[in-house]
Amino acid sequence: MNCISCNTVLFGDNYVKFPCPICGEMIYRCKKCRKLANPYECKCGFVGP
Ligand SMILES: [Zn+2]
Ligand SMILES: [Zn+2]
């Protein structure tokens, strides 16, 4: 499992997961990207902060 923004490997509690607001697909993101508000793109095309 990798961060959707920076592709870093996710483990333990260094990530958050939430469903895409459009398609409901689970999105995994490291806390660093969340803190920095790095953009991410879901496979459905949704881009969010
Ligand atoms: Zn990241
Ligand atoms: Zn989506």
Side-chain angles (χ1 to χ4, degrees):
M1 188 158 57
N2 298 83
C3 173
I4 197 169
S5 294
C6 69
N7 212 39
T8 195
V9 176
L10 302 176
F11 61 90
D13 65 349
N14 78 333
Y15 68 92
V16 292
K17 69 177 181 190
F18 52 96
C20 170
I22 304 299
C23 70
E25 189 74 28
M26 269 298 169
I27 290 171
Y28 296 88
R29 204 172 179 214
C30 73
K31 285 186 174 173
K32 190 177 77 177
C33 285
R34 183 168 182 256
K35 192 175 177 186
L36 296 174
N38 284 342
Y40 62 87
E41 184 176 356
C42 179
K43 59 188 175 187
C44 73
F46 174 77
V47 178

